[in-house]
Amino acid sequence: VQRDFDVVVIGGGPAGEVAAGRLAERGKLTVALIEDRLVGGECSFWACMPSKALLRPAEALRELRRVPGAAQTAHGRPDVAAVLARRDEVIHNLDDEAQLPWLRSRHIELIRGHARIEGERRVRVGEMRITAQLAVLVATGSDAAVPPVPGLAELDPWSNREITTARQAPESLAILGGGAVGVEMADAWSSLGSEVTLIETLPRLLAREEPFAGEQVAAALGRRGVTIHLGARVTRAERAPLGGALILDDGARVESQRILVAAGRTPRTRDLGIETLGMRPGDPIEVDDHLRVPGLPWLYAVGDVNGRSLLTHSGKYQARIAADHLLGAEGATASVDTAGPPRVVFSDPQVAAVGRTLALAHEAGLNATAIDLETSGTAGASFWGRGSEGTTRFVVDCDREVLVGATFVGPDVAEFVQAATVAIVGEVPLRRLAHAVAPFPTRSELWLNFLQGYEHERDTTVHATPL
Ligand SMILES: Cc1cc2nc3c(=O)[nH]c(=O)nc-3n(C[C@H](O)[C@H](O)[C@H](O)COP(=O)(O)OP(=O)(O)OC[C@H]3O[C@@H](n4cnc5c(N)ncnc54)[C@H](O)[C@@H]3O)c2cc1C
C-alpha cells in the first residue's frame, strides 16, 4: 500500500499529538499520526498521569492532618484498592479510545503500527509505504535506561511501566535513582505500604535542583520510613530469597521483592531507521532551536526523543514551535526549554522550580543573588496548617534587576511556579513586579516578602532608590 500526506508524525504521545493537531487545524495540512502502542504516549498511561494518581490520596490525607480541626478526623491510611482503582480510571484501563475523537475532529489519520524511516520523506509501517510531501516529525519519546550494573538485567527490574501500573503494592521496593521519578515513586509506594529503599549515586536527591530541595525531600521521606542511600553506587545485583539484592560500594546489601530503575532515559531511536540518515540508532535526534535536524530541512524532532528537556509540557511547547516553523513562521524558536523550563516534583513536600538555580546562574556568568524565604512565612500559609515547612529561593540577576530563577519547596506549591515563569519569561523588572500586589491572606504574599528581602539586601550594599 502506498499513502501520501503533507506531514507524517511518528509517535502519538503529548508532543506528537500537539504537533499533529496544530498542523491539521491551523495549517489545514493532511497529517498522518503513527502510533505503535497507545495514543497519549508514556505520559498518559505510564508516567505523569498514573504517578500523580498514586501520590494524591496520601498527600490529601497528610494535608488534612496538618490542619487543626480537620486533623482530628483524618485517621488511617489510604485505601490501597481504591487508590489503584482511581489510578486505573485515570489511565482509562490502558485504552486510548477516549483520545481518538480529538484526532478525528481534526481529520488526522491515525495509523497503528511501528514506523521506520526509509530515507528522505519516506516512512514505512509494515507493508505500508508512506511519503510526506513536506516533512516528517519524530516524537517517539524515551524509555527507561537500565544502568550497566552486572547482574541487574537478569533480575528483570521494573521500569516506570510496571511500577505505575502495578496491581498491588510490592512488599519491598528498591529504587535506583533519586531524580524526579525515583522520588515520586518512593513517596507514592511507601505511602501505599511498600518498604522502600532509595539509592542515589550523587550526594543528594534531585541533584539538579537547589541543594535544599533534595535535602528537605530526603528528610520528609526519611521521617515516613523510606531508607535512603546517598553517594552510593550499585556494584552488582544478584538473586535473593525475597527477589533481588543490590550490593552497594559501601558494602551495604539491599534486598527487595522488586527493583525499579529510575536512573535516566534513553531516546526511542533504536528501531526507527535513522541509520538511513547517517545517525546512530539509540542516540537522541539533535535539533536546532526550530526543532529541525541540521542538514535535513524536512525532518523535525520534538519531545523526549531530542533530549533537550524530558517533560511533557516542554514536548508540547516544542511541538507548537516546530509546527509553526513548518507552517512558515521563520521566527519560531524554542528559547526557554533548555534554560530552565518549569518543573514540578509531586512529592510531599513538593518541589516546583523554573529558570536557573543560583549555581547555574553563576555558571552562566550572571551577577546573581539569592533571596531565601520560608515558604510558609505568610499569613495565608497559616491555613495550610502545622508542619508545612520548606524553603523558597528567588534568584535575581542584580545587573538587570530581573528574576532568573525560583524554587519553591513545601506542600501544595506546584501552582506557585507559573507566576515565577511569567516573571522570568516576561523579564519583568522587579521595579514593575513590585506593583503586582498579592491578595491578603494568600500564600502569594511570598512575592512581597521576596521583593522586600531583595530591597533589604541591595540597600545593605548600595543605597539605591526603592523598588
Ligand atoms: C514516572 C514518570 C512520571 C513523569 N511525570 C511527569 C510529570 O508529572 N510532568 C511532566 O511534564 N513530565 C513527566 N514525565 C516525563 C514525561 O512522561 C515525558 O516527558 C513525556 O511523556 C514525553 O512525551 P513525548 O511525546 O516526547 O513521548 P512519549 O510520551 O514517550 O510518547 C511517544 C510515543 O511514540 C510511540 N512510538 C515510539 N516509537 C515509535 C515508532 N517507531 N512508531 C510508532 N510509534 C512509536 C510510543 O509508543 C509512544 O506512545 C514523567 C516520566 C515518568 C517516567
Side-chain angles (χ1 to χ4, degrees):
V1 204
Q2 174 73 47
R3 300 293 309 274
D4 191 44
F5 296 87
D6 292 328
V7 181
V8 173
V9 177
I10 306 178
E17 275 191 299
V18 167
R22 200 159 172 95
L23 290 165
E25 203 166 24
R26 290 180 62 111
K28 306 277 180 269
L29 301 182
T30 57
V31 180
L33 180 67
I34 310 172
E35 171 55 54
D36 66 4
R37 215 167 4 219
L38 293 175
V39 176
E42 204 76 9
C43 176
S44 305
F45 300 101
W46 298 282
C48 327
M49 296 302 285
S51 57
K52 269 80 258 178
L54 292 169
L55 284 159
R56 182 62 187 145
E59 181 189 50
L61 266 177
R62 284 193 293 268
E63 269 176 34
L64 278 182
R65 286 203 195 106
R66 285 192 277 261
V67 180
Q72 285 70 11
T73 69
H75 309 297
R77 301 172 63 85
D79 177 326
V80 178
V83 173
L84 299 184
R86 175 62 183 151
R87 183 270 323 267
D88 290 341
E89 211 176 348
V90 165
I91 62 171
H92 300 276
N93 292 301
L94 298 179
D95 180 342
D96 63 5
E97 195 56 40
Q99 311 266 130
L100 306 188
W102 192 90
L103 295 180
R104 278 189 217 113
S105 67
R106 283 161 183 77
H107 309 290
I108 297 165
E109 183 156 336
L110 173 63
I111 298 173
R112 295 212 185 253
H114 186 81
R116 281 185 198 86
I117 297 173
E118 287 197 311
E120 181 168 339
R121 293 182 291 110
R122 286 186 290 123
V123 173
R124 186 174 180 144
V125 180
E127 292 305 305
M128 190 187 292
R129 292 208 144 93
I130 307 170
T131 50
Q133 287 300 318
L134 297 174
V136 173
L137 202 140
V138 177
T140 51
S142 66
D143 281 314
V146 180
V149 170
L152 181 61
E154 291 77 61
L155 293 182
D156 261 335
W158 277 10
S159 71
N160 60 295
R161 288 276 167 83
E162 292 80 17
I163 194 67
T164 53
T165 51
R167 310 302 322 161
Q168 60 188 53
E171 270 169 41
S172 49
L173 176 68
I175 303 178
L176 260 117
V181 174
V183 161
E184 287 189 357
M185 290 299 95
D187 195 331
W189 289 102
S190 61
S191 72
L192 297 175
S194 302
E195 192 186 303
V196 176
T197 306
L198 186 54
I199 303 161
E200 168 58 52
T201 319
L202 296 169
R204 59 171 198 265
L205 300 181
L206 306 175
R208 281 186 224 164
E209 301 300 345
E210 295 285 4
F212 60 81
E215 285 158 17
Q216 293 173 1
V217 168
L221 289 177
R223 280 195 297 273
R224 297 209 296 274
V226 175
T227 305
I228 302 175
H229 294 268
L230 295 175
R233 224 168 44 80
V234 181
T235 55
R236 70 195 159 83
E238 61 190 28
R239 277 197 197 289
L242 212 61
L246 299 173
I247 291 80
L248 309 189
D249 56 356
D250 62 4
R253 181 184 163 87
V254 178
E255 280 194 35
S256 62
Q257 187 191 11
R258 297 285 176 199
I259 296 170
L260 170 67
V261 287
R265 312 280 303 169
T266 72
R268 263 190 216 113
T269 58
R270 260 179 230 296
D271 189 15
L272 188 59
I274 58 170
E275 62 283 1
T276 61
L277 309 174
M279 293 180 226
R280 212 170 54 180
D283 280 356
I285 298 185
E286 291 190 12
V287 290
D288 61 20
D289 274 353
H290 306 300
L291 290 316
R292 198 161 59 162
V293 178
L296 299 173
W298 56 274
L299 187 65
Y300 291 77
V302 295
D304 279 15
V305 75
N306 65 29
R308 283 168 75 107
S309 168
L310 308 189
L311 293 161
T312 288
H313 46 277
S314 294
K316 296 193 327 186
Y317 168 66
Q318 293 171 8
R320 289 200 305 277
I321 304 280
D324 289 352
H325 187 259
L326 215 162
L327 293 173
E330 288 293 322
T333 57
S335 52
V336 305
D337 61 344
T338 46
R343 48 211 186 260
V344 178
V345 183
F346 291 82
S347 47
D348 185 2
Q350 291 179 347
V351 176
V354 59
R356 299 178 201 273
T357 58
L358 182 63
L360 285 180
H362 284 151
E363 240 171 69
L366 299 179
N367 173 22
T369 190
I371 306 300
D372 289 347
L373 304 160
E374 283 291 320
T375 306
S376 60
T378 58
S382 330
F383 312 115
W384 264 255
R386 302 207 167 106
S388 47
E389 296 87 5
T391 299
T392 287
R393 168 171 286 180
F394 290 95
V395 180
V396 175
D397 173 348
C398 302
D399 293 342
R400 297 170 59 221
E401 293 207 308
V402 293
L403 189 67
V404 292
T407 300
F408 307 88
V409 180
D412 204 13
V413 294
E415 305 285 351
F416 273 19
V417 84
Q418 184 64 6
T421 306
V422 172
I424 292 171
V425 173
E427 300 177 66
V428 183
L430 298 192
R431 206 170 287 286
R432 188 76 200 141
L433 202 57
H435 295 269
V437 172
F440 184 86
T442 65
R443 293 193 298 164
S444 293
E445 281 203 315
L446 204 49
W447 287 84
L448 174 64
N449 297 356
F450 153 50
L451 291 162
Q452 284 174 345
Y454 174 70
E455 241 177 0
H456 179 75
E457 182 174 310
R458 193 188 55 169
D459 289 349
T460 55
T461 44
V462 281
H463 201 77
T465 45
L467 287 176

